[in-house]
Amino acid sequence: MTKKAITDKQKQTARYAKALGHPVRVAILQMLSKQACCYHGDMSEILPVAKSTLSQHLNELKDAGLIQGEVTPPMVKYCINKDNWAKARQCLNDLFG
């Protein structure tokens, strides 16, 4: 049996899965998917986590490419990254397909 290399698609699927691996991040994505955008301060009033913890979760989602942020001092506005969201859905559909 020949060893197979890990594909880029497998790596990307794992990256998306890691980003989805915490209930707060799932809640953030659900919140953002229902609206055009959301300000960081608004989320901290809704979600049961400290602002610093929320920032860490937002960074994880942003690093995975699932959300994008726009800095409008003194606030940051977050939205779903629709292109990467579609890619993530396809990767997970293929995995569970």
Side-chain angles (χ1 to χ4, degrees):
M1 185 190 251
T2 306
K3 287 186 180 182
K4 293 185 178 182
I6 302 298
T7 67
D8 288 342
K9 186 172 182 178
Q10 289 167 329
K11 291 176 187 176
Q12 190 61 58
T13 301
R15 183 66 186 102
Y16 291 140
K18 179 184 178 208
L20 294 168
H22 194 284
V24 170
R25 293 194 288 265
V26 172
I28 291 168
L29 288 169
Q30 287 174 326
M31 182 186 315
L32 291 176
S33 71
K34 294 177 183 170
Q35 51 198 24
C37 67
C38 189
Y39 288 94
H40 179 274
D42 297 341
M43 284 187 248
S44 66
E45 294 173 10
I46 297 168
L47 296 169
V49 294
K51 285 186 180 184
S52 60
T53 304
L54 177 60
S55 291
Q56 291 172 346
H57 288 300
L58 290 166
N59 283 333
E60 181 68 30
L61 291 168
K62 193 172 178 185
D63 289 346
L66 294 173
I67 64 171
Q68 53 197 20
E70 180 181 314
V71 178
T72 313
M75 302 180 132
V76 181
K77 178 173 63 173
Y78 289 97
C79 317
I80 294 284
N81 181 322
K82 292 180 182 180
D83 291 337
N84 287 343
W85 185 244
K87 290 176 189 174
R89 288 178 56 163
Q90 187 60 54
C91 284
L92 294 172
N93 283 338
D94 291 348
L95 176 64
F96 295 116

